[in-house]
Amino acid sequence: MWDYTEKVKDHFYNPRNAGAVADANAVGEVGSISCGDALRLTLKVDPADERILDAGFQTFGCGSAIASSSALTEIIRGMTLDDALKVTNQDIADFLEGLPPEKMHCSVMGREALAAAVANYRGETWVDDHEEGDLVCKCFAVDAVMIENVVRENKLSSVAEVTNYTKAGGSCASCHEKIEDILSTVMAERGEVFQAAGKAAPAAPAKSNGLSNLERIRLIEKTIAELRPQLQADHGDIELMDVEGKTITVRLTGACTGCQLAGATLGGVQQRLIEALGEFVRVVPAQAAHSAAGA
Amino acid sequence: MEPIYLDNNATTRVDPEVVEAMLPFFTEQFGNPSSMHSFGDRVGRAVKQARAQVQSLLGAEHDSEIIFTSCGTESDSTAILSALRAQPERREIITTVVEHPAVLTLCDQLEKEGYTVHRLAVDNRGRLDLDEYRRLLSDQVAVVSVMWANNESGTVFPVVEMAEMAAEAGVMFHTDAVQAVGKLPVKLSETRIDMLSLSGHKLHAPKGIGVLYLRRGTRFRPLLRGGHQERGRRAGTENTASIVGLGKAAELAQAHIEDENTRVRAMRDRLEEGILAQVPHAFVNGDLDNRLPNTASISFEYIEGEAILLLLNKSGIAASSGSACTSGSLEPSHVMRAMGIPYTAAHGTVRFSLSRYNTPEEIERVIEAVPPIVAQLRKLSPYWGEDGPVTNPEEAFAPTYA
């Protein structure tokens, strides 16, 4: 259960100013049905001094979205529009004596609805620039889109840099894996490979692309030849049988035949071949390929 | 007034008889079951008895097919990773889009490591397309992992038939059955299921104990290596008190399975009928002809699930807005989205999951409590007018059903 303050609970259970203001002359509609939050803020503004005489809300959302909407209307009633625009989302959260980090976007939605309503009153066009992405860092409420943009624009290449630019990952560290995933994706766009430690490495050339079939098979033979002494030392051996597309068929012989670790050996061979060729290949034992073909 | 617990797909209360069975294993029965003395021997015998009790609940042919683990997640991981390690030449996995995160997240990671993951889609009732499944089965597939019953929609998958199809194609079959065991009759000896996961806390045993069923003769690679416990298939000193508790819970579940499918099912049906009769723009999710007997997934359009849960909780009613494991997320349930439930309804989905401890009186109290809560939240919603849903200006969000 979310750790809501008593003030949040109070504004959720007893919302203030719920419903649309009857004779409103300013309306702000923001939110996203896909994210599960939508808010329509209606204001009655005195044209004489642009003072907010009345404010009402209609909210589709969770407990903190309803509480944030209620808090917003309480904060801005009586303010001039200029003063109301100085209200930040943090002011809404502070009014509620805090929101869980994951729920800070509810206060942001309130602030945006206010900006949209003022723009509506003044006949301006308000543009919703709220990004919709998976929340990556729950401690600091940073979403994936923001991290992607910052990594892209600033050519970042480490989790530490992401933390410096966005705060994401700066607390409990549980999101570091997700940040690394984003770094990997965005860095690949600029031809770099994310490395957990140290500077980014240039993307490995796709070796196979430049290889003829004959060169490719020779490289496979060479890699297997390099592996054979290790297996021979254990009284086993390996033999290349066939290469068909991404499937490389080998035969294990000697002590490797029937060895309980044959699967691990094949896995190791496959890994070495993937590294040598710079592409994904599948290594299958000759007998397995035979039985599969007959299945 | 006593609170009403309707979140049994998340976890169940521990049966008092289970607690009683466990207590001596925290006090005088403290021996290590692996020890070669009488302290260990007494505990070892209790673990053996628990294994037989679980074997009986699962209808397994041999007690040696039961491996005790720490939870359903560990069982799922062990099953899938074992299948991959035992058959390194096979690089594909078949699963579904509605699995529990224990399987989905593991598969996401395996995909990053180069495996191909086929995720079977579901229709708007949460059902699988078996023709698509048949098409995907090949000698490249290392393992099929399909849940027996979905934790959110309650839809039951035809895993016995799917295991048969997998066996004919020479593919290992695993099922995550944590929601099914204890609610549906299971007899593994008459199926071709190779591996099955169950979790103790879903059937009135404590949290932190699970089982992996491993059919005799199935190729296997342990997840945890070390000591010789569980015949070397799951190293680590046995969680003996919980194992004993799970054994007792398995015995009780077997005794109550008829009740689950009659009395509990009738209460679930009454709950659904009672709510739908009073609340407009609400509907039941899942395969109505083939569902878990205890699960009611109801979507309330134009309002949001967490807000419903908070008000239900204030009324002393505990339910869930989807999988408990994903409730920390802000996304709507992946199961509801996979079923094509529109956002206006997916966000407002509440899962009521019953157990044998619930009473008809409790169900009547819930039927009474829900309609005013829904009405209260709809009054706040921008999508709801005086008499029903508004069509403007959010017309684009108006839900449609396939």
Side-chain angles (χ1 to χ4, degrees):
Chain A
M1 211 164 178
W2 301 109
D3 188 14
Y4 286 142
T5 65
E6 289 305 314
K7 195 92 179 270
V8 171
K9 289 181 198 166
D10 178 36
H11 275 262
F12 169 65
Y13 292 132
N14 308 295
R16 278 67 147 177
N17 312 309
V21 172
D23 44 358
N25 52 3
V27 181
E29 291 176 341
V30 296
S32 155
I33 192 71
S34 61
C35 282
D37 288 319
L39 165 59
R40 178 188 292 122
L41 179 71
T42 46
L43 305 178
K44 167 82 175 154
V45 180
D46 184 347
D49 57 359
E50 289 200 330
R51 196 165 292 279
I52 299 170
L53 303 174
D54 200 1
F57 77 89
Q58 291 163 286
T59 297
F60 168 85
C62 59
S64 61
I66 290 169
S68 294
S69 306
S70 169
L72 170 69
T73 56
E74 285 287 271
I75 292 170
I76 62 173
R77 277 164 63 123
M79 282 185 172
T80 63
L81 292 185
D82 284 340
D83 284 344
L85 282 175
K86 291 175 192 155
V87 172
T88 66
N89 72 295
Q90 191 61 49
D91 290 333
I92 297 171
D94 290 346
F95 182 89
L96 292 168
E97 294 168 358
L99 282 170
E102 295 90 339
K103 297 288 191 176
M104 282 299 285
H105 65 274
C106 296
S107 62
V108 173
M109 183 171 71
R111 174 65 184 78
E112 289 177 343
L114 175 63
V118 173
N120 174 255
Y121 177 81
R122 292 176 171 169
E124 298 163 357
T125 305
W126 180 77
V127 180
D128 179 357
D129 61 354
H130 178 58
E131 300 290 2
E132 287 174 19
D134 291 344
L135 195 65
V136 173
C137 173
K138 294 186 176 176
C139 300
F140 293 110
V142 184
D143 66 33
V145 175
M146 179 188 240
I147 296 173
E148 282 165 23
N149 290 342
V150 170
V151 169
R152 198 172 282 124
E153 288 162 12
N154 300 285
K155 293 193 166 41
L156 307 186
S157 58
S158 70
V159 174
E161 286 177 330
V162 170
T163 303
N164 290 341
Y165 277 74
T166 67
K167 285 192 178 178
S171 183
C172 73
S174 65
C175 61
H176 281 199
E177 192 179 341
K178 285 184 181 172
I179 295 174
E180 288 180 6
D181 288 346
I182 293 172
L183 280 163
S184 300
T185 306
V186 178
M187 288 171 69
E189 291 172 7
R190 58 180 196 246
E192 292 179 354
V193 176
F194 169 73
Q195 291 185 327
K199 291 297 290 178
K207 294 177 189 173
S208 60
N209 292 345
L211 297 176
S212 67
N213 279 342
L214 187 59
E215 286 172 330
R216 190 166 174 266
I217 289 171
R218 278 183 181 151
L219 185 52
I220 293 168
E221 283 179 328
K222 178 171 170 283
T223 308
I224 288 178
E226 287 168 0
L227 287 166
R228 288 183 66 199
Q230 293 171 37
L231 300 181
Q232 287 164 343
D234 291 331
H235 307 290
D237 209 344
I238 188 169
E239 184 184 354
L240 178 65
M241 300 300 293
D242 196 11
V243 178
E244 190 178 342
K246 301 233 178 258
T247 303
I248 298 171
T249 307
V250 298
R251 172 171 289 145
L252 293 173
T253 54
C256 289
T257 312
C259 172
Q260 287 191 326
L261 293 173
T265 304
L266 285 173
V269 171
Q270 178 168 291
Q271 189 57 37
R272 285 286 292 273
L273 284 166
I274 288 171
E275 289 166 10
L277 294 167
E279 61 174 313
F280 176 75
V281 289
R282 179 183 290 114
V283 173
V284 298
Q287 57 271 41
H290 175 75
S291 63
Chain B
M1 204 176 284
E2 279 292 301
I4 300 170
Y5 186 76
L6 294 179
D7 199 12
N8 288 281
N9 285 11
T11 198
T12 53
R13 72 172 62 184
V14 182
D15 191 296
E17 286 190 57
V18 169
V19 176
E20 197 180 332
M22 291 172 67
L23 286 176
F25 295 87
F26 292 108
T27 52
E28 68 266 25
Q29 302 283 14
F30 61 84
N32 187 324
S34 299
S35 295
M36 295 297 291
H37 46 59
S38 55
F39 290 89
D41 185 51
R42 285 196 293 271
V43 176
R45 284 171 193 276
V47 170
K48 190 171 163 40
Q49 186 194 352
R51 205 181 301 279
Q53 287 164 317
V54 173
Q55 178 201 355
S56 176
L57 175 66
L58 294 179
E61 196 167 356
H62 310 282
D63 64 357
S64 59
E65 294 174 326
I66 307 302
I67 302 171
F68 290 112
T69 65
S70 65
C71 57
T73 298
E74 184 193 322
S75 300
D76 291 339
S77 282
T78 305
I80 293 169
L81 292 172
S82 166
L84 297 177
R85 288 171 182 169
Q87 310 163 95
E89 73 283 5
R90 294 183 176 218
R91 307 282 298 180
E92 295 181 17
I93 301 162
I94 299 175
T95 185
T96 79
V97 293
V98 294
E99 294 299 306
H100 186 274
V103 170
L104 278 186
T105 310
L106 175 63
C107 286
D108 290 347
Q109 180 59 32
L110 290 167
E111 203 165 40
K112 287 181 195 163
E113 293 172 12
Y115 291 92
T116 300
V117 179
H118 304 285
R119 298 174 182 82
L120 292 167
V122 294
D123 67 10
N124 62 350
R125 289 290 175 200
R127 295 168 298 201
L128 296 172
D129 180 349
L130 289 191
D131 290 335
E132 172 69 359
Y133 171 61
R134 195 189 308 274
R135 193 184 66 74
L136 289 170
L137 284 170
S138 78
D139 59 12
Q140 301 302 314
V141 177
V143 64
V144 174
S145 184
V146 171
M147 62 195 345
W148 198 312
N150 186 266
N151 48 320
E152 293 187 41
S153 67
T155 296
V156 176
F157 289 146
V159 288
V160 173
E161 187 184 348
M162 293 175 84
E164 193 74 33
M165 291 160 71
E168 281 165 16
V171 176
M172 277 192 203
F173 190 92
H174 164 252
T175 182
D176 175 344
V178 300
Q179 294 295 346
V181 173
K183 296 170 192 161
L184 303 172
V186 172
K187 189 155 192 193
L188 289 172
S189 62
E190 292 179 359
T191 75
R192 296 182 81 175
I193 292 167
D194 298 304
M195 295 177 283
L196 173 146
S197 302
L198 81 81
S199 176
H201 74 103
K202 307 289 190 186
L203 56 142
H204 305 286
K207 296 161 192 66
I209 183 72
V211 161
L212 174 63
Y213 160 83
L214 181 72
R215 179 177 295 279
R216 180 178 280 187
T218 305
R219 294 181 73 188
F220 185 71
R221 301 289 183 273
L223 180 65
L224 296 186
R225 294 172 189 271
H228 58 270
Q229 294 91 348
E230 299 297 311
R231 298 169 181 245
R233 298 171 304 181
R234 200 277 186 181
T237 304
E238 295 88 344
N239 179 4
T240 50
S242 292
I243 288 172
V244 169
L246 175 56
K248 186 68 190 173
E251 183 189 309
L252 293 170
Q254 206 169 351
H256 284 101
I257 200 129
E258 179 66 24
D259 181 55
E260 193 83 32
N261 283 282
T262 52
R263 198 180 63 87
V264 174
R265 183 187 293 271
M267 285 192 291
R268 188 276 311 270
D269 291 346
R270 167 67 191 140
L271 177 71
E272 290 178 348
E273 287 163 13
I275 289 174
L276 294 192
Q278 297 180 76
V279 180
H281 292 274
F283 56 88
V284 173
N285 298 297
D287 183 357
L288 301 185
D289 301 322
N290 202 4
R291 273 191 304 160
L292 289 174
N294 77 318
T295 306
S297 168
I298 305 180
S299 290
F300 300 99
E301 292 182 297
Y302 310 108
I303 53 175
E304 200 272 343
E306 189 219 73
I308 305 172
L309 290 190
L310 289 171
L311 291 175
L312 281 172
N313 189 57
K314 198 169 175 237
S315 303
I317 298 163
S320 162
S321 62
S323 163
C325 300
T326 53
S327 63
S329 157
L330 303 174
E331 299 295 309
S333 145
H334 70 285
V335 177
M336 293 303 129
R337 294 303 302 142
M339 288 163 61
I341 307 297
Y343 281 116
T344 40
H347 281 292
T349 300
V350 175
R351 180 186 70 187
F352 302 95
S353 44
L354 285 64
S355 82
R356 60 179 184 255
Y357 288 102
N358 291 119
T359 63
E361 292 72 29
E362 287 180 331
I363 299 304
E364 294 307 319
R365 268 178 60 199
V366 178
I367 290 169
E368 203 175 312
V370 168
I373 287 173
V374 173
Q376 181 182 340
L377 291 172
R378 281 181 175 163
K379 208 172 167 189
L380 294 176
S381 171
Y383 301 120
W384 196 262
E386 287 294 316
D387 307 315
V390 297
T391 50
N392 286 311
E394 272 79 19
E395 197 169 5
F397 298 144
T400 53
Y401 302 101

